[in-house]
Amino acid sequence: MNGLVPSSSSWSVSEESLRRYVRFASESCIQELLSSSEAGRFGNASNGWKMVRHDQNGVEISKRDSGSLHAFRSRRILTSVSPEQFITVANAIDAAKQWEGDLVEATHIREIDENLSVIRLRFGENSKPLFRNREFIVYERRETMQDGTLVVAVASLPKEMAEGLEPTKKKKTNSIRGFLVESGWVLERLEDTSCMITYVVQLDPAGWLPKCFVNRLNTKLVMIIDNLRKLVQASLPSLPPP
């Protein structure tokens, strides 16, 4: 991020700077998601993860504290659902739509690599205060491990870099908000035709919001996994065999 200092005049981020930053950030996010998924898989909550609750639907929610930052994790085993079937039904978790129904626009800005994209999310007037009339620039990276585990990492870009992607756009309204969330999911194959999905989210890594508000919204975000379970189960009859 050296040299990316905003000024009153128009400025931009070079393709090389964007590529270097996003590749590094996405690699770190992928490794963090894999580590978070592995921790506590067999009831041994390691790396600081602590159980918050396990509801009647079998969705496990855990929490990890890292100084002033909190990360939440949701996990669910889907029996008789193969990873291929799950991906067919829910090819991507559109986290933004889970946060807020008033998503006005989602546009691809750049394709960094085949499985690495930069996306603009724009919210409208009726959104909650956190999102109202805001834009968030995020990257999404998909990576398939050697054992077939699929990892999808999503994180927002810092504000200075996000604004620099469109130097000709007026920014007097302060509409772009950076570094809101780091999240993603890990889909692992189990025995037979079952799989396990783990969703991890850390809201507000920049530390803008009161901690109590962040905790409430984080817990809601990780319930995305249960919504996806319902979607998969409702669609199973129409799915082709794995």
Side-chain angles (χ1 to χ4, degrees):
M1 292 275 293
N2 290 340
L4 298 180
V5 180
S7 65
S8 58
S9 60
S10 176
W11 63 281
S12 63
V13 175
S14 70
E15 289 292 329
E16 180 58 30
S17 294
L18 176 66
R19 184 180 301 273
R20 186 168 59 249
Y21 177 85
V22 173
R23 277 180 173 170
F24 173 79
S26 66
E27 181 65 29
S28 299
C29 199
I30 288 283
Q31 295 305 317
E32 175 65 21
L33 289 171
L34 285 171
S35 175
S36 297
S37 177
E38 292 170 358
R41 183 179 300 167
F42 303 106
N44 179 23
S46 57
N47 296 334
W49 288 101
K50 297 180 180 179
M51 178 76 72
V52 174
R53 62 189 171 98
H54 193 287
D55 70 16
Q56 60 183 359
N57 294 320
V59 178
E60 171 194 318
I61 295 180
S62 304
K63 176 182 177 182
R64 184 182 64 184
D65 295 338
S66 177
S68 61
L69 302 177
H70 292 165
F72 280 79
R73 177 184 66 188
S74 180
R75 173 175 290 147
R76 177 68 192 245
I77 294 177
L78 302 178
T79 57
S80 300
V81 177
S82 70
E84 292 79 12
Q85 288 175 323
F86 181 88
I87 294 170
T88 298
V89 175
N91 191 41
I93 293 179
D94 192 342
K97 291 182 180 178
Q98 298 292 338
W99 301 337
E100 175 63 51
D102 191 36
L103 177 66
V104 176
E105 179 185 12
T107 309
H108 279 76
I109 299 177
R110 301 279 198 284
E111 295 293 333
I112 302 296
D113 286 312
E114 182 179 354
N115 295 319
L116 181 56
S117 305
V118 178
I119 303 167
R120 178 197 302 109
L121 306 175
R122 185 165 65 87
F123 296 84
E125 177 65 32
N126 297 324
S127 298
K128 294 181 178 65
L130 182 62
F131 304 96
R132 185 174 299 148
N133 292 327
R134 293 280 191 178
E135 292 184 6
F136 300 89
I137 308 298
V138 304
Y139 65 76
E140 178 188 84
R141 177 177 171 186
R142 296 167 174 268
E143 193 73 29
T144 301
M145 305 292 107
Q146 290 185 348
D147 63 356
T149 297
L150 174 66
V151 187
V152 179
V154 179
S156 50
L157 297 181
K159 184 175 180 179
E160 292 80 6
M161 178 165 280
E163 288 183 337
L165 289 176
E166 299 179 292
T168 59
K169 187 173 182 178
K170 294 181 179 179
K171 306 183 183 65
K172 294 180 180 179
T173 59
N174 196 31
S175 64
I176 293 179
R177 188 165 216 172
F179 223 39
L180 174 74
V181 68
E182 293 180 336
S183 68
W185 52 286
V186 180
L187 181 63
E188 302 170 77
R189 184 184 299 276
L190 302 178
E191 295 181 359
D192 301 322
T193 57
S194 300
C195 62
M196 180 167 66
I197 178 171
T198 303
Y199 181 66
V200 181
V201 61
Q202 179 177 286
L203 183 72
D204 187 36
W208 296 332
L209 304 173
K211 188 178 295 185
C212 60
F213 177 75
V214 173
N215 287 347
R216 287 199 302 269
L217 189 50
N218 269 332
T219 305
K220 291 180 180 178
L221 287 175
V222 296
M223 292 307 292
I224 291 173
I225 195 173
D226 198 40
N227 293 334
L228 286 168
R229 175 190 64 84
K230 294 173 183 176
L231 178 63
V232 170
Q233 290 183 336
S235 305
L236 275 178
S238 62
L239 287 175

